[in-house]
Amino acid sequence: MQLLINIVLMVLNYIWIAFFIIAFVIALVKLVFMGDYEVFPAIMNSTFDTSKTAFEISLGLTGVLSLWLGIMKIGEKGGVVNVLARILSPVFTKLFPDIPKGHPVTGSIFMNIAANMLGLDNAATPMGLKAMEQMQELNPKKDTATNPMIMFLVLNTSGLTLIPVSIMVYRAQLGAANPTDIFIPILLATFFSTLTGIIVTSLYQRINLLNRTMLLTLGGMCALVAAVVWGFGQMDKEQMNIVSTSIANILLMTIIISFILAGVRKKVNVYDAFIEGAKDGFSTAVRIIPYLVAILVGIGVFRASGAMDMLIDGIKWLVASCGGNTDFVGALPTALMKPLSGSGARGMMVDAMTTYGADSFPGILSCIFQGSTDTTFYIIAVYFGSIAVKHTRHAVTCGLLADLAGIIAATAIAYMFFG
């Protein structure tokens, strides 16, 4: 499994190096054969500008991250995660038939999924690693992934999240008129990604989804999503944007109040819990600075040389030749980077919003791409690596198919809401 981790890091390393080498070669060609003496100054200016932008974005994240991490900590201590775990219990029992009923691992799985849905990354990862260790205890072949492990990993990589806090924060930082306008589209896109992951993995593992619990759950969720899509389909673009933004803001405010009331009900010191969680906001913002600087400088150099325009124009030409709409092409780098690296995809998303505008179609679509799935290879590498599993079986295939479904759904939904 360490080999998989090394491969992922190596691919990212090569991509980053390629940004600089390709940019240098293209700039040199422009200078020698086209007499373009502005290209190298543009590249060097880009390195300074993008590194400054990365720092300013990270610094600006501190306040909002502190706010939301504080609210999340109140919800965590107020028992919201436990409530979600109990609600999800009948469903996950059907998805993990190989786990003995009442085994402690079910609690860790429920806590991890519930924490992911609430955006509690700090709580989700430890619970996820604990769940993998507990499933490994049930594993007769210690170097091979079991069916429950793979289903659990796919649920994580499909990226089901109720509150895409960081994406809304980035949109606010980059001047979006309504930073929450992507809330409903991301919910819809990540639903299709997760649904695909469940169905594909169940087919591989021959899990029967045609039982009362699963039919009611999945059927009800599909009916709800269909109703949402149909309802928004009856509106024009302006009305759709107003309604979706209003619903998003009402839901977010309701969640904040619910978390606070849950804390009060559990007799939690709400203020202290908020402070405890908010402290992580600063450390989180500082922690992402190096990653954001690295990827944004690489992309900035690549773009300043004209290489990014050449790549995008080439894809546009290909799509146009096939008779397709090319509005989505500017956001495509985010979708391609997401399975490999969260920080890389985040950099691509920021670059798209910076280049085209936070409220442009590519800028919005890149945000939906970022929220519709998770970093498949990274999650598989970390979770399987923690228990020394070498043979991942169909985990990568199922994870990537869920990613593909998320990308397709995100594109369709973006055209529906913002096209």
Side-chain angles (χ1 to χ4, degrees):
M1 186 48 55
Q2 183 61 42
L3 176 62
L4 181 55
I5 296 174
N6 291 338
I7 289 173
V8 173
L9 294 175
M10 183 176 65
V11 170
L12 293 174
N13 178 52
Y14 286 153
I15 290 173
W16 197 70
I17 292 172
F19 281 152
F20 288 92
I21 293 178
I22 293 172
F24 178 77
V25 171
I26 290 177
L28 201 59
V29 169
K30 284 185 174 181
L31 176 64
V32 174
F33 295 100
M34 302 171 62
D36 186 351
Y37 291 96
E38 299 297 325
V39 62
F40 277 103
I43 288 176
M44 291 312 301
N45 288 337
S46 175
T47 62
F48 293 112
D49 291 340
T50 51
S51 58
K52 179 182 177 183
T53 299
F55 177 76
E56 289 175 345
I57 289 172
S58 300
L59 191 63
L61 285 172
T62 307
V64 183
L65 278 177
S66 295
L67 166 66
W68 276 101
L69 288 176
I71 294 295
M72 294 300 183
K73 180 61 71 174
I74 295 172
E76 183 183 350
K77 290 195 170 186
V80 175
V81 174
N82 290 327
V83 170
L84 278 175
R86 288 197 297 270
I87 293 172
L88 294 172
S89 177
V91 176
F92 285 112
T93 300
K94 301 296 183 183
L95 290 178
F96 301 95
D98 294 341
I99 295 178
K101 190 173 182 180
H103 193 279
V105 69
T106 55
S108 298
I109 291 174
F110 300 149
M111 293 286 282
N112 168 267
I113 300 299
N116 271 326
M117 291 170 68
L118 292 174
L120 294 168
D121 293 337
N122 292 336
T125 301
M127 284 295 175
L129 295 176
K130 183 179 179 181
M132 292 299 288
E133 290 175 3
Q134 292 170 322
M135 282 187 279
Q136 182 70 335
E137 294 173 1
L138 301 171
N139 187 3
K141 293 184 67 176
K142 300 301 183 183
D143 64 343
T144 303
T146 62
N147 284 349
M149 288 179 182
I150 295 173
M151 178 64 79
F152 177 64
L153 264 292
V154 172
L155 287 173
N156 271 267
T157 61
S158 62
L160 182 60
T161 304
L162 294 180
I163 313 173
V165 176
S166 61
I167 298 174
M168 293 188 289
V169 172
Y170 280 114
R171 287 186 55 73
Q173 281 295 108
L174 294 171
N178 295 303
T180 58
D181 57 3
I182 44 80
F183 182 78
I184 300 297
I186 285 179
L187 275 180
L188 295 174
T190 193
F191 166 77
F192 285 110
S193 173
T194 301
L195 181 63
T196 301
I198 290 173
I199 292 174
V200 171
T201 308
S202 296
L203 290 174
Y204 265 100
Q205 300 179 1
R206 297 182 179 178
I207 294 174
N208 180 21
L209 296 179
L210 301 178
N211 57 73
R212 185 172 179 272
T213 300
M214 294 307 302
L215 287 176
L216 285 175
T217 302
L218 297 180
M221 293 175 68
C222 289
L224 178 62
V225 169
V228 171
V229 172
W230 178 84
F232 280 111
Q234 307 305 305
M235 308 175 190
D236 57 44
K237 300 298 180 185
E238 183 177 350
Q239 186 182 12
M240 187 185 299
N241 187 40
I242 293 172
V243 172
S244 64
T245 302
S246 299
I247 292 174
N249 289 323
I250 292 170
L251 284 175
L252 289 172
M253 192 61 196
T254 302
I255 288 169
I256 292 174
I257 298 300
S258 300
F259 281 19
I260 292 174
L261 292 177
V264 171
R265 182 176 177 273
K266 286 283 187 178
K267 298 182 180 179
V268 172
N269 188 320
V270 175
Y271 181 79
D272 283 349
F274 178 87
I275 297 300
E276 181 185 345
K279 288 178 181 178
D280 293 333
F282 180 78
S283 58
T284 301
V286 171
R287 192 164 56 245
I288 68 173
I289 290 176
Y291 300 98
L292 204 53
V293 169
I295 196 68
L296 283 184
V297 169
I299 296 170
V301 167
F302 194 71
R303 186 177 290 282
S305 70
M308 182 71 84
D309 291 335
M310 293 170 61
L311 175 64
I312 291 176
D313 288 343
I315 297 175
K316 278 185 177 179
W317 176 84
L318 184 62
V319 173
S321 299
C322 297
N325 186 297
T326 60
D327 292 344
F328 73 95
V329 175
L332 204 54
T334 304
L336 298 177
M337 182 63 74
K338 190 59 194 278
L340 288 170
S341 167
S343 59
R346 187 186 304 120
M348 294 293 187
M349 176 187 72
V350 171
D351 179 71
M353 286 194 284
T354 304
T355 302
Y356 301 103
D359 290 323
S360 66
F361 186 81
I364 291 172
L365 179 56
S366 65
C367 294
I368 302 175
F369 280 150
Q370 177 74 357
S372 61
T373 60
D374 214 324
T375 49
T376 298
F377 285 105
Y378 176 81
I379 290 175
I380 288 175
V382 171
Y383 277 40
F384 279 143
S386 68
I387 54 174
V389 166
K390 297 178 181 178
H391 305 294
T392 60
R393 297 171 63 210
H394 49 277
V396 174
T397 302
C398 293
L400 290 179
L401 286 174
D403 288 345
L404 179 60
I407 291 170
I408 294 171
T411 304
I413 290 165
Y415 275 112
M416 173 183 171
F417 277 80
F418 308 103

